[in-house]
Amino acid sequence: ETYRADGYLVMESLFDTEEITGVQETIQSITRKAFATGDWESVMEMEPECEKDRPVARRIYNPFHQDPAFRKLATDRRVLDCITDLIGADIALHHSKLNMKPPHVGSASQTFWHSPIERDDAHEDLHVSCWSQFVLFSRHQNSPPSCC
């Protein structure tokens, strides 16, 4: 109901703290390994600014190929149950990319280029948990943007 009305769905506590910590550690490990080999540009994209004099990953390319933890996360029954409830069971994964918005670096405006929709359409009262996302309420009920 919420998805059909608002165009988004929040699943609170879908993963526990231990699972999230494990994924965060995996991201840190991939970042360290990529820098150690000197081939980080084929593995990830970095934020233009550092945090505490350390580089920060913005995007990991093909995370399923980088570590099995990402495939495990995406194919977890809890995730798949949510997806199939929304769109049905005929789903396939054809590409993986992990986009991140780390705290204290970058800005929310950096994500706006993904959307041709003007900022005026954004809801003004975003909850703090949504600050790293550009949420457009009920946008799924409108026709696609003219660029599509």
Side-chain angles (χ1 to χ4, degrees), residues 6 8 10-11 19 22 30-31 35 40-41 51 62-63 69 86-87 91 104 108 111 113 121 128 133 144:
D6 298 333
Y8 70 95
V10 175
M11 301 300 296
E19 291 167 310
I30 290 171
T31 303
F35 277 110
W40 64 269
E41 289 180 318
E51 180 180 12
N62 300 308
L86 290 174
I87 64 173
I91 59 174
H104 313 295
T111 61
W113 70 268
D121 289 344
V128 67
Q133 303 172 20

Side-chain angles (χ1 to χ4, degrees), residues 47-101:
E47 287 287 350
E49 64 262 19
C50 293
E51 180 180 12
K52 298 179 184 174
D53 296 324
R54 291 188 354 234
V56 180
R58 173 189 286 178
R59 179 172 297 116
I60 295 178
Y61 306 121
N62 300 308
F64 282 15
H65 300 294
Q66 307 297 334
D67 194 284
F70 295 110
R71 182 172 294 277
K72 182 180 176 190
L73 185 72
T75 59
D76 186 284
R77 179 54 39 203
R78 294 167 289 182
V79 172
L80 295 177
D81 285 348
C82 292
I83 293 170
T84 57
D85 284 350
L86 290 174
I87 64 173
D90 189 18
I91 59 174
L93 177 71
H94 66 87
H95 180 73
S96 66
K97 180 170 41 172
L98 177 62
N99 293 312
M100 299 170 281
K101 171 56 183 89

